[in-house]
Amino acid sequence: MAKVALKPKIKLAIAPIGWTNDDLPELGGEIPFEQCVSEMALAGFTGSEVGNKYPKDPDILNPKLKLRGLTICNAWFSSFLTTQPYEEVEAAFIKHRDFLYAVGARVIGASEQGHSIQGKEEPIFDNKPVFTDEEWKRLTEGLNKLGKLAAEKKMKLTFHHHMGTGVQTAAEIDRLMENTDPKLLSLLYDTGHLVFSGEDHMAVLKKWIKRIRHVHLKDMRPAIRETAITEKWSFLHAVKSGVFTVPGDGSIDFKPIFNTLKKAQYEGWWVVEAEQDPAKANPLEYAIKARAYIKKTGGV
């Protein structure tokens, strides 16, 4: 009797942000989509998130991914629940959801961009937004509604905490998770953003492990972080200066992270998502470096 091949519980993806940066078009602006996805596959990854250069028509995108053995695992959604009418956010979300579903993704990663300074030339630590109680109410109630819309297609809505936004710190993550429905909203756990913010990334992981449905793996260079604080850099200036890198190339010890996720029987994607200047950090070289580190340290 033939053995049935089991699907792996943990799947590995890489984000295109190491090749071409949507927030900083000058980084990798010359690198075409086809080179990006070909090098992802060459480095040993089976999944990808979506970048601005990716074809927006599923009938065009899907064959190009299939040719390389890749699957779309997620894509960033900017929500403005604290600053825009809910109906506008919902309309944009449904369009985004339906595109992701058509290209095979079953996870949607939302980040609240109301009052965000992540793309502005403002000191990332000094000017971080802080939501009012009313804005928190609009955010949590709105996310529950979006979570229901995701569930209509058997998709998971995950929230991406992020530098320069109103949900950046461990305390803010706690408030978000405690005031949303666990059945409707999960957490996208991002190692680099937690460490850059100065949080205890392992404490966040252990506290919310049962609600984590998507993982971003990025490493951080502490010396550049310290300079970003003292020189009052913006988030994007810190990125261009190399504050982030791939796992195994910075200060974060990923072994306890990997062990905790596996012990909790995490199922889903681990995504290498480390924005760098491709002129300084060759994307294929760093993708291969990340893949080797995850295999050696995480056994995946």
Side-chain angles (χ1 to χ4, degrees):
M1 186 176 177
K3 289 185 177 179
V4 178
L6 297 175
K7 288 185 178 181
K9 287 185 176 181
I10 297 169
K11 297 172 286 186
L12 292 184
I14 189 165
I17 202 165
W19 281 264
T20 179
N21 195 308
D22 293 345
D23 295 322
L24 295 162
E26 67 271 23
L27 299 187
E30 74 288 354
I31 298 176
F33 158 75
E34 288 81 0
Q35 178 185 336
C36 174
V37 288
S38 293
E39 291 185 351
M40 288 175 172
L42 186 60
F45 293 90
T46 58
S48 170
E49 294 195 345
V50 178
N52 278 346
K53 291 182 180 177
Y54 283 43
K56 301 302 184 289
D57 183 344
D59 291 336
I60 296 173
L61 178 57
N62 286 337
K64 293 180 182 295
L65 295 170
K66 186 177 180 181
L67 183 65
R68 296 164 173 86
L70 291 174
T71 301
I72 296 299
C73 62
N74 175 30
W76 173 283
F77 176 73
S78 294
S79 63
F80 292 89
L81 293 163
T82 58
T83 56
Q84 291 181 358
Y86 171 77
E87 292 73 20
E88 292 180 12
V89 179
E90 181 183 272
F93 181 81
I94 291 173
K95 183 179 179 181
H96 184 80
R97 176 201 68 179
D98 291 351
F99 166 75
L100 278 182
Y101 188 86
V103 295
R106 296 298 178 262
V107 169
I108 307 170
S111 181
E112 176 59 24
Q113 292 300 293
H115 306 298
S116 171
I117 64 164
Q118 71 183 66
K120 298 179 180 179
E121 284 299 319
E122 297 185 33
I124 191 63
F125 284 96
D126 294 356
N127 293 1
K128 190 196 91 61
V130 176
F131 294 147
T132 64
D133 288 344
E134 176 58 29
E135 286 169 336
W136 273 108
K137 187 172 185 287
R138 292 175 62 181
L139 175 62
T140 53
E141 291 180 354
L143 286 170
N144 280 339
K145 291 178 183 178
L146 297 182
K148 288 181 182 177
L149 292 170
E152 287 179 359
K153 287 187 172 286
K154 294 185 169 59
M155 301 176 77
K156 287 285 186 185
L157 177 61
T158 63
F159 191 88
H160 188 345
H161 56 90
H162 200 284
M163 291 293 297
T165 73
V167 187
Q168 170 185 308
T169 67
E172 289 163 344
I173 292 170
D174 287 348
R175 182 165 181 174
L176 184 80
M177 292 288 100
E178 288 164 0
N179 289 279
T180 49
D181 188 336
K183 295 178 182 176
L184 300 175
L185 185 71
S186 301
L187 181 65
L188 188 161
Y189 173 77
D190 189 302
T191 57
H193 279 279
L194 284 170
V195 176
F196 191 7
S197 181
E199 312 304 312
D200 182 340
H201 64 285
M202 286 303 302
V204 173
L205 175 63
K206 291 174 181 176
K207 183 169 186 175
W208 297 112
I209 187 70
K210 291 183 179 179
R211 287 181 71 178
I212 293 171
R213 293 290 178 271
H214 204 64
V215 175
H216 277 177
L217 303 175
K218 59 161 65 80
D219 214 333
M220 198 205 66
R221 297 182 174 107
I224 296 176
R225 175 184 183 271
E226 290 306 313
T227 304
I229 295 171
T230 57
E231 297 296 321
K232 299 186 180 299
W233 284 353
S234 68
F235 174 69
L236 294 183
H237 187 82
V239 168
K240 283 198 287 187
S241 301
V243 72
F244 292 135
T245 184
V246 298
D249 191 53
S251 64
I252 301 174
D253 179 6
F254 282 85
K255 190 165 186 177
I257 296 170
F258 295 154
N259 289 344
T260 300
L261 287 165
K262 289 197 292 185
K263 186 177 180 182
Q265 297 184 312
Y266 171 90
E267 293 187 33
W269 292 94
W270 290 358
V271 186
V272 173
E273 195 238 20
E275 49 266 57
Q276 296 191 82
D277 182 348
K280 299 176 182 177
N282 179 273
L284 177 57
E285 178 185 340
Y286 276 76
I288 291 171
K289 182 184 295 188
R291 182 67 190 90
Y293 177 81
I294 293 169
K295 185 175 184 179
K296 179 182 177 181
T297 311
V300 177

